[in-house]
């Protein structure tokens, strides 16, 4: 399983597969890639599954306001960039109906990276890596209403995260040490200098926050105060960031431990939520020690070592990929 999300009706969609399947002659005939829906019946307690096999593993997935699902997939050699789409949940029988082709061809494997949906604009934000580490990545803004690309822009080297508010799209460019701020109104772009290796972003109370992976620091950017940088109080490389509404939750790995930190903007203070000892070893994301030498990720398309979510009771659910643990934090 490499991705999951919840639908407005309460279903859960899970993307699964044994590999990224970028060599069809090796993997396609035996690879069991697919998207599964899981539905819970509140009245009976029954769990129902619907399994839709697809010929390649789906990466990042989003749902639009109509309930249609969109997902990124790998290319097989030189192909036009494309998305798959399931307009009626995941039951579309014809694979030709699922494919949305974009006019940008590419060849380098495993480069589709970021996909976000903007419900206010009914737009998809799609970001993929360049053909080499020295070529900038491309941001594409796709209008689902008109079914056309509104913008194709080279944002920077190795994009690792994208967030947006009502006015601006922000992309962290890991190997450019910048954040690209794209105005929705006219698509004008501002490049903002950061610390070393900006990795993950979060918006909280009209302030943009970001993790400088190699500086072990947190940046805060607002129109009024400009940029401030706060050094994290524990050793390691920060790699996940989540805003709860009142505070930021940060995960950071050292070679010996995982640190779960809280940052409160009101008094600019950090506190330790939990420390988990484990022999992690090397967890930096700025090396070429990954499949196909793609930077800003871990291995074959692991874009974050921790995933963070908050349930309706306010509890934090934090997964740790390397230790295989799930932490449930009640504040």
């Amino acid at each position: 399983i490499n991705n999951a999300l919840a639908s407005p009706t309460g279903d859960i969609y899970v993307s699964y597969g044994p590999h990224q399947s970028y060599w069809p002659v090796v993997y396609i005939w035996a690879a069991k890639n697919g998207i599964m829906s899981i539905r819970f019946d509140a009245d009976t307690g029954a769990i129902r599954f619907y399994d839709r096999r697809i010929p390649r593993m789906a990466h990042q997935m989003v749902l639009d306001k109509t309930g249609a699902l969109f997902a990124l997939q790998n290319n097989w050699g030189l192909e036009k960039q494309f998305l798959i789409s399931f307009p009626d949940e995941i039951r579309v029988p014809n694979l030709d109906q699922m494919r949305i082709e974009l006019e940008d061809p590419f060849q380098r494997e495993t480069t589709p990276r970021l996909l976000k949906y903007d419900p206010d604009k009914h737009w998809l934000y799609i970001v993929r890596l360049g053909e080499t580490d020295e070529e900038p990545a491309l941001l594409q803004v796709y209008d689902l209403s008109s079914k056309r690309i509104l913008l194709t822009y080279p944002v920077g080297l190795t994009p690792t995260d994208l967030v947006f508010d009502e006015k601006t799209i922000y992309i962290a460019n890991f190997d450019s040490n910048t954040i690209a701020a794209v105005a929705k109104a006219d698509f004008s772009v501002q490049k903002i200098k950061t610390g070393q290796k900006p990795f993950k972003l979060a918006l909280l109370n009209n302030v943009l926050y970001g993790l400088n992976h190699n500086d072990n620091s947190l940046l805060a950017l607002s129109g009024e105060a400009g940029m401030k940088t706060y050094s994290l109080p524990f050793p390691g490389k920060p790699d996940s960031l989540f805003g709860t509404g009142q505070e930021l939750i940060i995960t950071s790995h050292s070679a010996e431990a995982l640190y779960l930190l809280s940052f409160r903007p009101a008094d600019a203070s950090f506190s330790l939520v939990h420390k988990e000892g484990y022999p992690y070893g090397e967890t930096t994301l700025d090396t070429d020690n990954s499949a196909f030498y793609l930077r800003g990720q871990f291995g074959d398309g692991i874009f974050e070592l921790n995933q963070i979510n908050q349930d309706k009771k306010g509890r934090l659910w934090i997964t740790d990929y390397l230790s295989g643990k799930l932490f449930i934090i009640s504040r």
Side-chain angles (χ1 to χ4, degrees):
I1 295 173
N2 78 323
N3 203 351
L5 53 80
S7 76
T9 60
D11 292 358
I12 297 173
Y13 294 108
V14 175
S15 166
Y16 67 87
H19 203 276
Q20 299 214 39
S21 301
Y22 32 67
W23 294 323
V25 294
V26 178
Y27 291 107
I28 183 174
W29 303 119
K32 295 180 179 179
N33 297 310
I35 297 177
M36 177 182 292
S37 67
I38 306 172
R39 176 166 295 179
F40 299 88
D41 191 318
D43 296 327
T44 65
I47 302 176
R48 291 184 293 168
F49 301 92
Y50 186 88
D51 192 6
R52 180 65 168 92
R53 293 286 293 275
I54 56 178
R56 320 181 193 196
M57 181 186 283
H59 300 308
Q60 288 200 346
M61 304 186 296
V62 296
L63 289 166
D64 74 3
K65 57 189 177 184
T66 71
L69 183 144
F70 300 88
L72 297 176
Q73 286 190 292
N74 280 328
N75 58 311
W76 289 338
L78 182 62
E79 286 188 280
K80 288 183 179 179
Q81 187 175 354
F82 69 96
L83 299 164
I84 60 166
S85 170
F86 295 97
D88 62 343
E89 297 180 333
I90 62 166
R91 292 176 172 81
V92 179
N94 190 344
L95 292 177
D96 293 336
Q97 297 177 23
M98 295 163 45
R99 187 176 174 114
I100 300 175
E101 281 197 344
L102 310 176
E103 291 303 316
D104 175 42
F106 68 109
Q107 185 165 358
R108 189 185 191 189
E109 291 97 340
T110 69
T111 58
R113 175 159 288 194
L114 303 175
L115 179 66
K116 297 292 178 71
Y117 172 66
D118 187 334
D120 293 335
K121 294 288 191 179
H122 200 41
W123 290 350
L124 292 175
Y125 303 131
I126 307 159
V127 185
R128 70 163 179 83
L129 295 179
E131 292 286 359
T132 68
D133 287 341
E134 291 72 36
E135 294 182 39
L138 291 181
L139 163 69
Q140 294 174 312
V141 178
Y142 183 79
D143 182 6
L144 287 168
S145 297
S146 64
K147 295 181 172 52
R148 65 187 183 93
I149 293 288
L150 303 180
L151 173 71
T152 299
Y153 184 80
V155 289
L157 301 178
T158 319
T160 48
D161 203 7
L162 183 152
V163 298
F164 58 90
D165 56 23
E166 65 276 7
K167 294 182 179 179
T168 311
I169 310 161
Y170 301 98
I171 302 103
N173 300 307
F174 188 75
D175 281 321
S176 292
N177 298 324
T178 63
I179 293 172
V182 182
K184 292 184 185 180
D186 59 4
F187 294 140
S188 59
V189 181
Q190 179 186 7
K191 295 288 183 71
I192 302 165
K193 194 68 177 175
T194 67
Q196 292 296 308
K197 309 302 179 185
F199 186 54
K200 293 298 177 182
L201 304 173
L203 288 161
L204 182 65
N205 299 326
N206 298 316
V207 179
L208 176 70
Y209 293 91
L211 294 176
N212 293 315
H213 182 71
N214 278 23
D215 285 349
N216 195 26
S217 65
L218 174 72
L219 66 86
L221 178 65
S222 67
E224 298 178 357
M227 182 179 291
K228 296 181 180 179
T229 303
Y230 307 93
S231 296
L232 270 61
F234 296 94
K237 296 289 183 75
D239 43 40
S240 286
L241 183 64
F242 181 82
T244 68
Q246 297 180 338
E247 62 182 347
L248 292 166
I249 301 298
I250 301 167
T251 67
S252 179
H253 288 88
S254 71
E256 296 84 21
L258 166 67
Y259 297 90
L260 308 181
L261 307 175
S262 167
F263 176 79
R264 295 188 63 84
D267 55 6
S269 64
F270 292 94
S271 61
L272 179 64
V273 177
H274 180 70
K275 178 182 177 181
E276 185 75 13
Y278 189 82
Y280 288 102
E282 181 62 68
T283 61
T284 185
L285 303 170
D286 69 337
T287 70
D288 291 336
N289 185 23
S290 61
F292 285 86
Y293 306 104
L294 297 184
R295 296 163 58 80
Q297 69 181 44
F298 196 88
D300 258 1
I302 305 301
F303 303 121
E304 56 271 313
L305 295 180
N306 302 103
Q307 293 186 353
I308 309 171
N309 214 330
Q310 189 173 30
D311 66 19
K312 294 179 180 179
K313 297 181 180 179
R315 297 174 301 181
L316 295 169
W317 296 64
I318 304 174
T319 60
D320 184 39
Y321 175 78
L322 293 179
S323 67
K325 294 179 181 179
L326 168 66
F327 304 95
I328 305 173
I329 309 293
S330 180
R331 303 286 280 162

